[in-house]
Amino acid sequence: MDKNRIITIANQKGGVGKTTTAINLATALAAIGERVLIVDLDPQGNASTGLGIDRKSRKLSSYDVLMGYNTINEVAMETAVPNLSIVPSTMDLLGFEMEISQSSDRAFRLRRALSTPEATGYSYILLDCPPSFNLLTMNAMAGAHSVLVPLQCEFFALEGLSQLLDTVDQVRRTVNPLLDIQGIVLTMFDARNNLAQQVVSDVRTYLGEKVYHTLIPRNVRVSEAPSYGKPAILYDLKCAGSQAYLQLASEVIQRERRRKAA
């Protein structure tokens, strides 16, 4: 049985709430006593910024881990959230693909780093991916047990989802046959919008139990939180978005219990 759970948070489409989900799900899991690590694999570094890690203080980054220069423990930084650490990102990641494109192990750099004893000390490791399917996302999927997909409640959602599921199938066939769909999280839900209601209905019909019951609402407080370098759950615990992420964390843990019992 796996000592920890490594979850890639991915969607090829930008602006669907990937990083917001990574930050707030990690915070919610940490708040209930789990030891959690985020690995920021997006050169923009929004997960690092959103957890209050100043760019000047990022002496080492996920780039150093992927290149094999440093271990997870050497790079991971503590955040203001107890039990939550992050391997931050820097713009160095932009050169990663070009530097190792000829290496035979190019898709497995992160898997190797995450299979060390120090990485198994975390209960959950969340991998925050860039909004594209590149070598960084491939490394995340090759190194993870499962993929969690944030999906915006909007017109093109299902089209993007089918592309992502094709990508997961491709990764299964080539580099990680055990990769599973952890679940689909519906984000930016507006109950007043008929289209949003229709998207929820369509996605649930299409994917059934894979879709989490929790709907993450559009919420101003959640949008504001990163500019203060805080997860929404620390910025405003009582807002609808924070409450939804706490509920999502509870669902994730329940599913993990069921999976382990199976």
Side-chain angles (χ1 to χ4, degrees):
M1 186 61 70
D2 301 318
K3 287 195 177 69
N4 62 6
R5 188 69 168 165
I6 303 172
I7 302 172
T8 291
I9 299 180
N11 191 326
Q12 284 125 304
K13 195 171 184 306
V16 297
K18 271 194 308 298
T19 299
T20 302
T21 296
I23 289 172
N24 287 291
L25 176 57
T27 301
L29 289 167
I32 51 182
E34 302 288 354
R35 190 159 176 251
V36 186
L37 176 72
I38 292 179
V39 180
D40 190 348
L41 293 169
D42 188 343
Q44 294 176 76
N46 291 341
S48 308
T49 305
L51 282 167
I53 307 295
D54 183 67
R55 287 188 186 276
K56 293 192 188 81
S57 66
R58 301 176 205 174
K59 306 296 183 211
L60 298 170
S61 73
S62 50
Y63 169 82
D64 299 288
V65 171
L66 288 162
M67 294 302 290
Y69 301 151
N70 297 89
T71 65
I72 293 277
N73 267 11
E74 288 168 345
V75 179
M77 300 177 72
E78 289 185 2
T79 70
V81 180
N83 297 322
L84 175 58
S85 299
I86 185 166
V87 171
S89 152
T90 59
M91 298 298 271
D92 291 345
L93 278 178
L94 288 170
F96 170 69
E97 195 150 359
M98 198 176 296
E99 286 181 61
I100 67 151
S101 60
Q102 302 305 312
S103 304
S104 57
D105 68 342
R106 60 188 174 275
F108 301 104
R109 296 298 187 91
L110 189 59
R111 180 190 287 182
R112 188 182 306 139
L114 294 175
S115 60
T116 56
E118 62 189 49
T120 57
Y122 295 95
S123 327
Y124 288 91
I125 299 178
L126 305 185
L127 312 176
D128 187 34
C129 294
S132 59
F133 185 64
N134 57 17
L135 201 47
L136 291 165
T137 307
M138 176 70 100
N139 263 268
M141 289 191 181
H145 298 118
S146 61
V147 182
L148 187 148
V149 185
L151 197 69
Q152 191 176 350
C153 294
E154 53 132 64
F155 181 66
F156 292 114
L158 277 172
E159 186 180 290
L161 180 60
S162 61
Q163 285 174 353
L164 188 81
L165 296 178
D166 287 346
T167 299
V168 171
D169 281 341
Q170 182 190 336
V171 170
R172 273 198 204 111
R173 288 194 305 271
T174 53
V175 295
N176 187 356
L178 300 178
L179 189 67
D180 185 24
I181 298 289
Q182 178 85 16
I184 312 295
V185 183
L186 291 161
T187 63
M188 303 182 192
F189 176 71
D190 183 347
R192 299 162 303 179
N193 184 328
N194 288 338
L195 176 61
Q197 302 273 14
Q198 187 60 50
V199 169
V200 171
S201 170
D202 289 349
V203 174
R204 291 200 195 285
T205 302
Y206 184 45
L207 282 163
E209 285 301 301
K210 285 290 182 193
V211 186
Y212 288 103
H213 296 296
T214 305
L215 296 171
I216 308 296
R218 275 196 183 279
N219 190 256
V220 173
R221 304 295 277 170
V222 169
S223 307
E224 286 172 355
S227 62
Y228 292 88
K230 289 181 177 178
I233 290 167
L234 281 194
Y235 178 63
D236 184 352
L237 176 61
K238 292 193 167 68
C239 76
S242 295
Q243 291 299 307
Y245 277 114
L246 288 168
Q247 206 176 323
L248 177 64
S250 171
E251 267 198 86
V252 167
I253 285 172
Q254 283 165 15
R255 285 192 183 193
E256 281 305 296
R257 284 184 185 140
R258 285 200 297 272
R259 184 186 64 81
K260 284 176 178 169

